[in-house]
Structure formats: structure tokens, C-alpha cells
Amino acid sequence: METSYGRSSLMKKIVIALAVVIACTMCLTGCGSSGGSKSGDSVIIYTNADEEAMDVMKKTLDDNGFKGEYEFKTFGTSELGGKLMAEGSDIEADMIGMSSFYVDSSQDKNDMFTKLDKENETIDEFPDYYTPYLANQGSLFYNTEEVEKQGLTVPKSIKDLAKSEYKGKISVPDISGSSTAWLMIQALISTYGEDETKTILKGIYANAGDNLEDSGSGPIKKVRSGEAAIGFGLRHQAIKDKEEGKPIDYIDPSEGDYTLNEGIAIIDHGDKDKVKKAQEMMNCIISKGRPDLMEYYPIALYKGEKTNTKYEAPNSKTYKEPLTVDLLKKHMKLSEECK
């Protein structure tokens, strides 16, 4: 016969088991959902966007009736690019915000994006399967306190970073993990050619040492903290830091401020309603979000926009060849030979 103690012990075990199941269920439901709804009902958005762009896009969607109807998932550029190339239209995402060269190359390989119903007309011509939402630019930046304390010369060019003066003093991104690094390498190759670029990169990588970063935001974080005095990274992040009163200033390098577009594209998984909603979200981000995006990314992309002159780079440039994954791989190989 079961005793009252045995029944009590059994009930406690059941209660504990139920509590664990409920807790696990709540955890799984809440994990990774920026939009706040089940992924089956949400428009799933994969992106490599910076924090500043993510904040603007979320606020734009929330303020315009889409709160709870989307789910953002963030990836590094190389990681998301690899998923696009490998998975094609089998990818989980309904919408992507991604570097344009990966969008183009993924479409060429997998024919995975739907034709867009664009409400806004771009200044330059773009394919019908994606539309740009921002243009990133690279620049040099430095920690004003550290440069003064260490008696360093403020560099004027990316090439200067290879000087022995900067040994152990700089941080730069690695093209194997960051598209921001490609802006640096494009500037060097365009200005000095591939052979001299190799010599320059060998010096830069030797000077960076352990401060060669997989993330495009890595160098600005190292320079903010004083772990490095000088870095190369995204121009808008250095401008933002300076305006917020951090001991950061930026330099537009003599090689020029190279530009890389980020684009929005939509994958059609056969759900017409979800494709329609994704299109509406895309047009919302462009129509409503671009003014705020241009506070960080000042280049005009759409007719009727004016470049934000307060943040405009003095020497904006684009690479001489079309940007493709094949070209990226070529420049990655060049970079690896310099380490």
C-alpha cells in the first residue's frame, strides 16, 4: 500500500517535472525573436546589418504597424553569405538585408529572389530582385587620448598604417570575416596596385598583431577602449562616437572613402501573403526609414534624396570592377598571402 509520504513525494516530482517543461517551453518560445511573434507567422529577416541600422529598421517597422510581425536574425557577413550561396531558396529567411555583392552572386547561382514591387526609384540602376537601403563607407579613426599619450603621428592614409611607428598600436578588420575589410583592400589596390598592396598589407597585419579583427566593428571597439590607438573601420561609427563625446576622431584617408551597398531582397517560399507582407515591410523601411538611416549612412540612393552634407565623405569612391563573390575570393586570397 502506498503511504501518504510516498504520494506526497510523487506529487512533488510531478510538479517539478511540469515546472521544467513549462520553463523550457517558455524559453524556446522567447529565444531569438525580435518581432515578438511565432516564426511561423513572422516575416523572418536575416541580416548582417550594424547595430545602428538594425535599430532604425526595427523602430521604423514598429512605428508603422508591423510590431510583432517580424523576426530579425543577425549574422556576420561571411556567415550569412555562405548560407545564401549554399542553401539558396531553402534558406529559412523570408527577407534578407545583405551586402549587394552577395545578393547578386546568390541570385546568379541559385535564382532565389523574387521580383520586387518597388515604390521608390533609385538614383542608379539596380536589379529588380533587390533594392539598396544603405551605403557603408570605410575610414581611419583614432583615440585622441592614446595618440597624444603615446606621441603618435595621426596617419593620413591607409598605407601609413604599415609604418613601424604603429607596431602594436593599430586594429584593422580581416577580410576573411568582415566585408568592412574589403573597403580597405579595395582602396589599397585601386591606389597602389596588387603588388604594392601586398607589401603594405604585410606591414599592416604585422603592426595589428592580435588586433586583426573578424568583425567590422572590432577595430572601433579596440580603439574606444584604448587597446589600440588607431584603426580602420566604418566611418559612421567613428562619427557617432565623436559626436557622443568619446575621445574618438576620424580621418578620411588619402586613398578615398570606398563604398559598399547593402540591399534588401525577398525569398518566395510559396506563401503569397508572406511575400506581400515582406514587400510592404521593405517599402516601409525605404520610404519611412531612409531619413534616419542617412543620419549614419549619408549617401543619397533614391531620387528626391539629398546626400547628408553634414556627414558626407570628401572623397567617396567605388571600386573599378563590379563587386562579386569571385572578386572577394580573389582579394581574400591576396590578403591571406600577406599574413
Side-chain angles (χ1 to χ4, degrees):
M1 179 181 293
E2 187 178 18
T3 66
S4 60
Y5 171 78
R7 287 194 298 272
S8 174
S9 177
L10 179 61
M11 287 301 295
K12 285 181 180 179
K13 290 178 181 178
I14 292 171
V15 168
I16 290 170
L18 285 172
V20 170
V21 170
I22 291 168
C24 290
T25 302
M26 290 175 68
C27 179
L28 289 170
T29 301
C31 278
S33 175
S34 301
S37 65
K38 296 179 181 178
S39 61
D41 301 324
S42 301
V43 171
I44 301 175
I45 306 170
Y46 280 9
T47 181
N48 68 331
D50 309 311
E51 181 182 344
E52 297 84 3
M54 283 281 293
D55 289 345
V56 169
M57 288 191 286
K58 287 178 181 179
K59 185 177 187 304
T60 300
L61 291 173
D62 288 351
D63 289 351
N64 289 277
F66 293 106
K67 190 170 185 178
E69 297 185 13
Y70 63 89
E71 179 180 342
F72 270 107
K73 295 186 179 182
T74 58
F75 301 83
T77 302
S78 296
E79 182 184 7
L80 181 50
K83 287 180 72 66
L84 290 169
M85 297 295 285
E87 297 178 23
S89 57
D90 290 332
I91 199 166
E92 177 194 30
D94 303 299
M95 179 194 297
I96 62 161
M98 183 55 169
S99 303
S100 58
F101 62 91
Y102 265 122
V103 180
D104 284 329
S105 296
S106 300
Q107 179 70 355
D108 287 343
K109 181 184 177 186
N110 300 313
D111 191 21
M112 60 186 292
F113 302 120
T114 190
K115 182 178 179 180
L116 298 179
D117 180 15
K118 304 178 187 180
E119 293 179 355
N120 301 77
E121 189 175 357
T122 54
I123 295 170
D124 297 323
E125 188 174 347
F126 287 86
D128 62 9
Y129 54 83
Y130 84 88
T131 196
Y133 69 97
L134 61 84
N136 269 318
Q137 289 187 303
S139 77
L140 297 165
F141 42 76
Y142 61 100
N143 186 308
T144 55
E145 294 175 351
E146 289 298 319
V147 163
E148 182 177 1
K149 184 193 303 182
Q150 298 180 41
L152 297 173
T153 305
V154 175
K156 296 180 179 178
S157 67
I158 300 169
K159 182 180 180 179
D160 284 345
L161 298 184
K163 292 179 177 179
S164 58
E165 175 185 5
Y166 302 118
K167 181 74 173 178
K169 311 292 185 183
I170 66 170
S171 179
V172 298
D174 186 348
I175 192 173
S176 66
S178 167
S179 60
T180 302
W182 201 11
L183 296 170
M184 180 177 75
I185 291 175
Q186 287 175 35
L188 290 173
I189 292 174
S190 294
T191 307
Y192 308 109
E194 290 190 9
D195 289 341
E196 189 174 353
T197 292
K198 288 181 181 180
T199 302
I200 295 167
L201 281 179
K202 287 175 182 177
I204 291 175
Y205 292 160
N207 285 346
D210 291 339
N211 291 326
L212 180 61
E213 303 293 325
D214 289 332
S215 163
S217 298
I220 191 70
K221 292 176 181 177
K222 289 287 182 73
V223 174
R224 280 181 196 141
S225 69
E227 293 179 66
I230 299 163
F232 179 93
L234 294 174
R235 187 175 184 269
H236 73 270
Q237 292 180 331
I239 292 174
K240 182 183 177 186
D241 277 10
K242 182 178 181 179
E243 291 192 338
E244 290 177 351
K246 294 183 177 73
I248 299 292
D249 206 347
Y250 62 98
I251 312 110
D252 293 305
S254 62
E255 294 92 352
D257 300 280
Y258 276 72
T259 301
L260 182 61
N261 287 324
E262 304 279 329
I264 295 175
I266 295 170
I267 301 96
D268 186 354
H269 294 300
D271 186 335
K272 293 182 179 179
D273 289 337
K274 187 168 281 191
V275 170
K276 182 175 180 290
K277 184 181 288 185
Q279 295 252 21
E280 290 170 353
M281 289 181 179
M282 173 201 74
N283 284 317
C284 175
I285 290 169
I286 302 305
S287 298
K288 306 292 186 180
R290 280 287 300 157
D292 288 337
L293 286 169
M294 290 183 72
E295 288 293 313
Y296 301 104
Y297 314 91
I299 298 174
L301 297 172
Y302 289 86
K303 290 185 177 179
E305 291 182 341
K306 292 184 179 180
T307 293
N308 187 332
T309 54
K310 181 180 179 182
Y311 303 113
E312 183 178 7
N315 192 16
S316 294
K317 290 185 177 181
T318 54
Y319 196 63
K320 56 190 175 183
E321 298 177 42
L323 301 182
T324 64
V325 170
D326 286 341
L327 182 64
L328 174 64
K329 288 178 180 177
K330 177 183 176 183
H331 289 172
M332 288 174 71
K333 183 175 183 293
L334 181 150
S335 173
E336 286 300 314
E337 291 171 357
C338 300
K339 295 178 182 175

